[in-house]
């Protein structure tokens, strides 16, 4: 398997982006979420993740091409893969039954289920990046502030006071923000939000009920649920990026290989 440049993790699959713009997917492809073998010229990838339950096995995969168009494959019952008409896109995110895109002008696009208003991003402006939880969506704005929309029963959308944020992630019922100073803030409830003591962080990702952080020394720390050993990352070294799926974690190592822990 060729070395990867980036990773994304979904419900029961993970996706690797190669430096040449091709994509590989590993895992459960029952809904076509792993049918990415013919994708080319891809510069970013996203995978739909959702909490583990009997009715949540299917997922979808999204790719951003270098010309600003978007391709998607997999489960499409709510139209989450209906993104072929999108153009001028610079960033993407995928959640349960949903795809969010960021356009070059700082506006946002959404496709998929909107029952909880998780796709209500039409009025967002100055957006740099987005993240998708199960029923909520999070947007990072150019001024370092954060917006969220959707279900907030666990207060996962209480991000309005966040400042100096440089990246965001979203789990099932929690949101995570990486601040410019290398500290981390979280909204929601439960052990996945126990991140306030982390420092020297350079990257964050969120699974359904766990949070993973990459530190500046290329080691990794974790918080949250660990029933599938998805937080067993303490021995990882030389990591350059991390991605958290529903109940597993993958790490891209400096040599282009991949470390994994957890289960589907």
């Amino acid at each position: 398997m060729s070395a990867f440049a980036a990773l994304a993790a979904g419900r029961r699959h993970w996706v690797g982006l190669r430096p040449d713009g091709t994509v590989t997917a590993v895992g459960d492809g029952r809904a076509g979420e792993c049918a990415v073998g013919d994708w080319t010229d891809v510069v970013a990838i996203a995978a739909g993740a959702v909490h583990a339950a009997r009715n949540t096995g299917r997922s979808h995969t999204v790719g951003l091409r270098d010309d600003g168009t978007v391709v998607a494959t997999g489960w499409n019952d709510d139209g989450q893969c209906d993104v072929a008409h999108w153009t001028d896109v610079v960033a993407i995110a995928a959640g349960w039954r949903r795809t969010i895109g960021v356009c070059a002008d700082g506006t946002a696009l959404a496709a998929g289920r909107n029952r909880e208003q998780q796709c209500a991003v039409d009025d967002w402006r100055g957006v740099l990046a987005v993240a998708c939880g199960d029923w909520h969506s999070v947007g990072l704005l150019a001024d370092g502030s954060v917006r969220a929309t959707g279900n907030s029963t666990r207060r996962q959308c209480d991000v309005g006071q966040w400042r100096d944020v440089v990246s965001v992630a979203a789990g099932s019922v929690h949101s995570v923000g990486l601040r410019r100073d290398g500290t981390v803030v979280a909204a929601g409830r439960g052990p996945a939000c126990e991140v306030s003591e982390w420092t020297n962080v350079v990257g964050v990702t969120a699974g359904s009920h766990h949070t993973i952080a990459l530190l500046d020394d290329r080691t990794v720390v974790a918080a949250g649920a660990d029933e599938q050993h998805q937080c067993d990352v303490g021995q990882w070294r030389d990591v350059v990026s991390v991605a958290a799926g529903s109940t597993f974690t993958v790490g891209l190592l400096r040599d282009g290989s991949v470390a994994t822990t957890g289960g589907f």
Side-chain angles (χ1 to χ4, degrees):
M1 188 176 291
S2 301
F4 296 110
L7 302 175
R11 169 64 178 90
R12 288 177 170 169
H13 77 297
W14 63 267
V15 187
L17 172 63
R18 297 192 185 97
D20 65 359
T22 60
V23 181
T24 292
V26 178
D28 187 343
R30 71 179 69 182
E33 56 265 61
C34 292
V36 299
D38 61 347
W39 289 7
T40 58
D41 302 317
V42 175
V43 295
I45 50 176
V50 63
H51 66 283
R54 184 172 298 177
N55 66 336
T56 62
R58 295 174 294 174
S59 188
H60 72 295
T61 304
V62 185
L64 172 62
R65 290 195 169 112
D66 60 8
D67 63 357
T69 61
V70 180
V71 61
T73 186
W75 186 34
N76 195 36
D77 283 9
D78 290 271
Q80 58 264 43
C81 292
D82 294 346
V83 296
H85 61 288
W86 288 6
T87 59
D88 208 25
V89 176
V90 296
I92 52 173
W96 188 47
R97 305 177 180 233
R98 176 170 83 268
T99 304
I100 306 289
V102 178
C103 296
D105 64 359
T107 58
L109 301 167
R113 173 176 168 143
N114 194 37
R115 188 176 302 173
E116 294 82 14
Q117 297 299 301
Q118 60 267 63
C119 287
V121 299
D122 291 347
D123 64 340
W124 289 8
R125 297 293 183 268
V127 184
L128 292 181
V130 286
C132 295
D134 282 9
W135 304 280
H136 74 293
S137 302
V138 182
L140 171 64
L141 306 188
D143 63 1
S145 63
V146 180
R147 294 192 64 172
T149 185
N151 185 299
S152 193
T153 55
R154 301 293 180 89
R155 298 186 176 180
Q156 60 265 42
C157 291
D158 289 0
V159 299
Q161 301 303 312
W162 293 3
R163 295 293 183 270
D164 297 320
V165 176
V166 295
S167 69
V168 290
S172 178
V173 289
H174 74 291
S175 303
V176 183
L178 171 61
R179 290 194 177 114
R180 192 178 309 278
D181 64 0
T183 60
V184 180
V185 62
R189 297 175 186 169
C193 293
E194 295 175 359
V195 299
S196 61
E197 295 184 359
W198 290 355
T199 59
N200 302 317
V201 177
V202 296
V204 291
T205 183
S208 287
H209 301 291
H210 70 295
T211 303
I212 303 291
L214 174 65
L215 307 186
D216 60 5
D217 64 357
R218 301 304 177 188
T219 60
V220 182
V221 294
D226 194 34
E227 73 279 359
Q228 297 283 348
H229 304 291
Q230 59 265 51
C231 290
D232 287 358
V233 296
Q235 300 303 310
W236 289 5
R237 298 292 183 270
D238 294 322
V239 182
V240 297
S241 68
V242 285
S246 295
T247 54
F248 66 99
T249 305
V250 292
L252 177 63
L253 305 187
R254 192 186 301 273
D255 63 3
S257 61
V258 176
T260 65
T261 186
F264 294 155

